[in-house]
Amino acid sequence: MKFTLSWLREHLDFTASLDEIVTRLNAIGLEVESVDNPADRLKGFRVAKILEAHRHPDADRLQVCIVAAGGDFERVQVVCGAPNARAGLHVIFAPPGTYIPGSDMTIKAGRIRGQESGGMLCSLRELGLGEEADGIAELPENVVLGQSYAAFAKLDDPIVEIAITPNRGDALSIRGIARDLAAAGIGHLKPWLTETVEGSFPSPINWAIDYDKACPHVVGCMVRGVRNGPSPAWLRRRLEAVGVKPISRLVDVTNYLTYDLGRPLHVFDAAKLAGDTLTVTRAARETFTGLDGRDYVLGTDDIVIVDNSGVQSMAGIMGGEASGVSDETTDVFIESALFDAVQVALTGRRLAIHTDARQRFERGIDPALLLPGLEAAIKMILDLCGGEASEIVQAGETPSWQRDAWLRFERIETLGGVQIDPETAVRSLEHLGFAVLERTDEKARFAVPSWRNDIATGVVLDQAPHLDPDRAQSASAEVHAIEAECDLLEEILRLHGLDAIPARKLPRSTMIPSAALDARQARKGIARRVCATRGLMETVGFSFVALDDAARFGGAPESLRLLNPIASDLNQLRPTPLPNLVHAWQENAARGHEAAGFFELGPAFGQEGQALVLAGLRGGRTARHPEVAARDMTVWDAKGDLEAALLALGVPVEALSVTTDAAAHYHSGRSGQIRQGPKIVLGAFGELHPRIAHDMGIDGTLVAFELFMDAVPLPKNRRRAAPQLSPLQPVRRDFAFLAGPETEAQAVLRAARGAERNLITEVRLFDVYEGKPLEPGYRSLGIEVVLQPMHASLTDAEIEAVSDKIVAAVEKATGATLRR
């Protein structure tokens, strides 16, 4: 919010300096963001007069001028090259030492072609005030020689910009700022009463409200016989100072009152309206052209003003191009309304429209200013444009805004932390417009003014859902009164000075701060870290893929298709991040980086909704090492990545099982799913299906995995005992079992692990052999068993006994026999 000191004086009678005003604004919570004084940039420039002008003896295009600029510059010689320099002309003079912002230089006295020059005669462009460059600026004759040019041009008016918090809609007006400053001891607030204009004829346009929830009250007035055109200089200067472009008198009046009183208004060209009624209603699905010339598609939740021909205004945001005023406008209809803050904010946010009207409506405007604001606009239009006003018409009624709040004086110190006597506190609130309704020695009840719609609103925060019902009921008692009392305390403390409130440290509930991330959030970082340590590079892809890619990797239902995609090949929500990883690998392979691995932790979409998936992919060949030949990536590389991620997330791999029913985008014989129990699928791994690789133009083998993060259970909070470390060496024994076609390797491992749980700490598959001399379909499974004694070394007899148990357990559970 911007304002100038001269504009502030319209509402506030003060003698304070600019620095004092800035300091007090910061102290009362209206934080000053910037102060711009144009006079500082024009320091040194004077109003002067050319007394004599002669052609330069050594240059045809230069003139030697004698200039009178008052003070020490009664007769100073200046060499000037402007074609319009002549005797008797009033000009802008820059004495030596003056900085010229338009030319980025500082004037120095010197000689030009042999002639003394003690300054410079300037154009507006050289002052940074315009584009004029054909000659020096020509000033009117009724000027005071030697006067500062900034004062002559009324540019010595500082512009202050303050930050407005969302609850202070009243501070989005210059009168609201003046009221706060007056309450804080800066000057006295001037009374404001608008002059009522009696209507001389019935208004030919009336109001109707179809949706009173979004607009409870609207008023209007016809003014006929107006003369539109450029606004007077004082009005243009004020609007330009606060960043508003002057357009015409009629439009400038509404913009002026928006800043002056915080009362948004709109003027319709009455000749462009169809019918005799304007209606506030909900929009249909239609297109509306705003005053900015852009087309907006309105929805059924948007509030609009319509006539018989359609939408003429987006309520509380922007008027329409079709009924906008122009220089030819002679009859106008002025609108002043109360629009729902939430409806205005939602429409403005959806359509990405930012206007001064929206900014004020969504923060709340003064409901009592509806009719006075209209009367102020009528009076101003009649003064500037002439014409004749009709009787005021309206629809609905102003909602009840009267509220009151109690203040217990002892709470100023116990809650606010400062000692302020009750008289001072009451006086502070009265200066802000609060009226005392009741008062005792301990407390007082105040009526809240209409412009402070942020105080005693009755809106409180929701209680925590896990709160004990009895405690919740106790806490909710009188909560509205407590919130309103805190609002009053805030006003008292604010006027006392926010910088005067002593700092207090909040008590700590524990010496150890709570975790910044919960378990679900933290494990995302864990999953990313384990993938990165295994040599995979993280990617971040679009959640959209091509329709063909989605069909290859899990399906492309119509319900997940985009109606308005950002690109033709991004028209389907992805069922998995794998298509993005495949394309990333292809881009790298095309540049010679085939041995690359990627992963992404991101959303996947299906008929059941959105899920979080960790996907990884590897391609190319492994690196060559001495005595180790390079090889293609295999299904075991993908399985190892998936198991490493599960282990890092606290899922014991021993408790999992692997099935061969992976999704169709995996190789049917070189893939699997990892399950926890018979129903919970934690992830899948395998080679990419050859058909998909062929369709996507991939040569070679790609292996991938998917970890369904939402299915991974959170680790239980159990107190862990100290690990029991044995001082004895482990014993390792290898076994080779002959397994039939139906025997799974994981069943053999599970049976061996359960043969002697007190001694066996690890069972690992290290070899799978098929071929002669084994029968077709049979395999030799080589497993390594680790025995870890805790109290005494194992004897040969004890080791043999455990070995027999392992062979017997495997044979009983799977039918596999020990290979001799």
Side-chain angles (χ1 to χ4, degrees):
M1 173 66 187
K2 293 182 178 181
F3 66 91
T4 64
L5 286 192
S6 65
W7 200 342
L8 182 66
R9 291 185 189 277
E10 295 290 325
H11 297 279
L12 187 67
D13 185 8
F14 64 93
T15 58
S17 66
L18 176 62
D19 289 342
E20 290 174 328
I21 291 175
V22 169
T23 301
R24 193 59 56 88
L25 285 172
N26 285 322
I28 62 177
L30 300 180
E31 183 180 358
V32 176
E33 294 192 319
S34 66
V35 177
D36 179 27
N37 191 353
D40 293 340
R41 297 192 296 274
L42 302 177
K43 191 175 297 183
F45 292 98
R46 293 169 168 241
V47 174
K49 180 180 181 180
I50 300 177
L51 302 177
E52 302 174 16
H54 307 285
R55 178 171 295 179
H56 194 291
D58 298 323
D60 293 339
R61 295 188 179 182
L62 297 179
Q63 295 190 71
V64 179
C65 303
I66 303 300
V67 177
D72 297 334
F73 303 96
E74 287 297 339
R75 286 184 64 87
V76 57
Q77 180 171 296
V78 177
V79 177
C80 178
N84 62 332
R86 61 188 183 273
L89 182 65
H90 289 83
V91 294
I92 304 172
F93 171 68
T98 304
Y99 175 73
I100 310 297
S103 304
D104 190 24
M105 67 177 186
T106 300
I107 295 298
K108 297 180 180 179
R111 302 178 69 88
I112 300 177
R113 295 286 186 93
Q115 295 293 319
E116 294 283 346
S117 182
M120 179 178 179
L121 305 183
C122 304
S123 67
L124 294 180
R125 182 189 64 81
E126 287 163 331
L127 270 66
L129 299 177
E131 299 300 324
E132 176 191 339
D134 294 336
I136 56 178
E138 299 186 15
L139 304 183
E141 294 186 358
N142 55 338
V143 297
V144 178
L145 298 184
Q147 182 185 16
S148 164
Y149 176 74
F152 162 78
K154 300 187 184 303
L155 295 174
D156 55 345
D157 195 6
I159 303 168
V160 181
E161 183 176 8
I162 60 175
I164 304 298
T165 53
N167 66 312
R168 291 299 307 276
D170 64 300
L172 284 171
S173 69
I174 294 173
R175 181 158 186 84
I177 297 170
R179 183 187 298 113
D180 265 22
L181 286 172
I186 299 291
H188 300 281
L189 185 68
K190 297 180 180 179
W192 181 83
L193 291 174
T194 185
E195 181 179 339
T196 301
V197 178
E198 297 293 336
S200 58
F201 63 94
S203 173
I205 299 175
N206 293 293
W207 282 112
I209 298 176
D210 276 355
Y211 189 37
D212 56 3
K213 179 183 177 182
C215 178
H217 195 194
V218 59
V219 297
C221 176
M222 165 81 83
V223 181
R224 64 188 182 190
V226 300
R227 297 179 303 277
N228 201 13
S231 294
W234 69 266
L235 180 54
R236 293 199 306 271
R237 278 197 303 269
R238 284 192 174 175
L239 293 179
E240 289 170 346
V242 298
V244 178
K245 180 182 178 181
I247 298 174
S248 66
R249 295 174 193 169
L250 292 171
V251 177
D252 293 350
V253 165
T254 62
N255 289 333
Y256 178 83
L257 293 175
T258 297
Y259 276 81
D260 189 59
L261 302 176
R263 173 65 258 182
L265 302 156
H266 183 64
V267 287
F268 298 92
D269 188 327
K272 298 177 181 178
L273 298 176
D276 60 357
T277 303
L278 287 176
T279 304
V280 183
T281 184
R282 293 186 181 188
R285 296 192 180 275
E286 54 194 313
T287 301
F288 165 76
T289 303
L291 284 171
D292 58 357
R294 294 175 54 191
D295 292 335
Y296 299 95
V297 179
L298 303 178
T300 54
D301 291 331
D302 299 325
I303 309 304
V304 293
I305 298 175
V306 302
D307 64 0
N308 290 351
S309 63
V311 178
Q312 299 301 330
S313 174
M314 276 190 290
I317 298 178
M318 181 185 295
E321 185 180 64
S323 58
V325 298
S326 65
D327 288 346
E328 290 74 35
T329 298
T330 58
D331 299 336
V332 295
F333 186 74
I334 313 169
E335 165 250 305
S336 178
L338 290 177
F339 296 118
D340 181 70
V342 174
Q343 294 284 350
V344 171
L346 290 176
T347 297
R349 186 179 304 171
R350 185 178 65 81
L351 298 176
I353 306 176
H354 301 277
T355 64
D356 290 330
R358 174 198 164 183
Q359 186 185 30
R360 284 154 179 81
F361 273 115
E362 68 184 8
R363 284 166 173 77
I365 61 174
D366 184 354
L369 196 59
L370 185 71
L371 188 57
L374 176 65
E375 291 174 337
I378 296 171
K379 180 65 168 59
M380 200 168 177
I381 288 176
L382 292 177
D383 290 343
L384 297 179
C385 305
E388 181 184 11
S390 75
E391 297 173 352
I392 292 176
V393 293
Q394 59 182 316
E397 59 183 12
T398 301
S400 177
W401 54 264
Q402 290 78 6
R403 305 176 307 281
D404 60 71
W406 282 96
L407 171 66
R408 293 168 290 177
F409 298 130
E410 55 92 11
R411 297 290 284 168
I412 299 174
E413 182 176 359
T414 58
L415 186 59
V418 294
Q419 291 184 350
I420 302 175
D421 64 271
E423 290 298 331
T424 302
V426 170
R427 190 163 53 251
S428 296
L429 292 174
E430 287 179 330
H431 287 165
L432 285 174
F434 294 83
V436 178
L437 301 177
E438 300 178 49
R439 181 176 175 182
T440 66
D441 292 339
E442 293 79 23
K443 60 182 180 178
R445 184 165 67 95
F446 296 86
V448 180
S450 60
W451 52 82
R452 291 306 301 269
N453 49 47
D454 60 313
I455 292 179
T457 59
V459 179
V460 296
L461 297 176
D462 293 335
Q463 292 181 321
H466 61 271
L467 200 62
D468 178 73
D470 294 336
R471 187 178 179 186
Q473 183 178 2
S474 174
S476 64
E478 304 296 335
V479 66
H480 297 291
I482 295 173
E483 288 285 340
E485 183 180 52
C486 291
D487 291 336
L488 297 182
L489 281 171
E490 181 182 354
E491 295 304 301
I492 295 170
L493 297 174
R494 188 171 63 85
L495 293 182
H496 177 68
L498 297 177
D499 52 350
I501 301 175
R504 298 282 181 88
K505 291 185 178 180
L506 294 176
R508 291 185 178 182
S509 57
T510 174
M511 295 302 295
I512 302 175
S514 59
L517 302 176
D518 60 26
R520 288 191 180 276
Q521 294 170 327
R523 68 182 187 175
K524 294 180 182 179
I526 295 173
R528 289 189 175 97
R529 185 163 56 249
V530 73
C531 288
T533 57
R534 293 182 64 83
L536 300 176
M537 292 180 288
E538 184 173 11
T539 68
V540 179
F542 284 115
S543 295
F544 317 118
V545 295
L547 180 63
D548 293 342
D549 286 341
R552 296 185 184 106
F553 286 88
E558 182 74 26
S559 60
L560 298 179
R561 196 146 316 144
L562 275 67
L563 298 178
N564 186 23
I566 60 176
S568 59
D569 59 345
L570 296 174
N571 59 348
Q572 183 77 26
L573 286 171
R574 66 183 186 186
T576 170
L578 284 181
N580 305 70
L581 299 181
V582 171
H583 287 301
W585 181 86
Q586 287 179 299
E587 292 285 342
N588 282 267
R591 290 161 175 80
H593 302 287
E594 295 184 357
F598 303 98
F599 79 93
E600 180 180 349
L601 179 60
F605 303 87
Q607 298 285 18
E608 298 79 15
Q610 177 176 327
L612 185 64
V613 175
L614 173 67
L617 179 137
R618 293 182 185 271
R621 296 173 64 81
T622 61
R624 294 182 297 174
H625 297 285
E627 300 183 1
V628 179
R631 60 172 178 82
D632 289 335
M633 295 294 172
T634 68
V635 63
W636 307 113
D637 295 304
K639 184 172 184 285
D641 290 334
L642 179 56
E643 288 184 340
L646 286 169
L647 190 62
L649 295 179
V651 180
V653 179
E654 297 81 6
L656 305 178
S657 60
V658 180
T659 59
T660 59
D661 53 346
H665 51 267
Y666 290 107
H667 192 299
S668 57
R670 299 172 185 171
S671 62
Q673 285 195 133
I674 291 186
R675 296 174 176 266
Q676 189 174 45
K679 295 183 179 180
I680 301 177
V681 178
L682 299 182
F685 64 92
E687 291 184 12
L688 193 66
H689 198 285
R691 182 188 71 264
I692 294 179
H694 177 269
D695 292 344
M696 300 182 73
I698 298 172
D699 294 328
T701 302
L702 293 182
V703 298
F705 72 89
E706 295 166 278
L707 175 57
F708 310 125
M709 297 288 290
D710 298 327
V712 178
L714 293 173
K716 296 181 180 179
N717 294 326
R718 294 177 178 175
R719 179 173 294 180
R720 296 182 180 180
Q724 293 183 357
L725 302 178
S726 174
L728 305 174
Q729 293 289 332
V731 177
R732 301 178 186 273
R733 286 291 182 268
D734 294 343
F735 299 85
F737 290 96
L738 187 62
E742 304 299 327
T743 302
E744 295 181 348
Q746 66 181 353
V748 174
L749 296 175
R750 189 181 304 111
R753 188 179 297 112
E756 183 62 65
R757 295 186 179 276
N758 292 331
L759 282 176
I760 298 175
T761 58
E762 184 180 356
V763 179
R764 184 177 65 87
L765 178 70
F766 68 86
D767 181 60
V768 178
Y769 175 75
E770 294 178 310
K772 294 180 180 181
L774 303 182
E775 296 181 14
Y778 279 79
R779 298 175 297 167
S780 175
L781 304 178
I783 66 173
E784 179 188 47
V785 180
V786 179
L787 308 177
Q788 179 62 66
M790 297 299 294
H791 305 293
S793 298
L794 296 175
T795 65
D796 290 342
E798 291 172 333
I799 294 174
E800 289 298 326
V802 174
S803 299
D804 292 340
K805 286 184 179 181
I806 292 172
V807 172
V810 170
E811 184 172 354
K812 179 179 179 181
T814 66
T817 59
L818 185 68
R819 186 180 175 191
R820 304 295 179 181

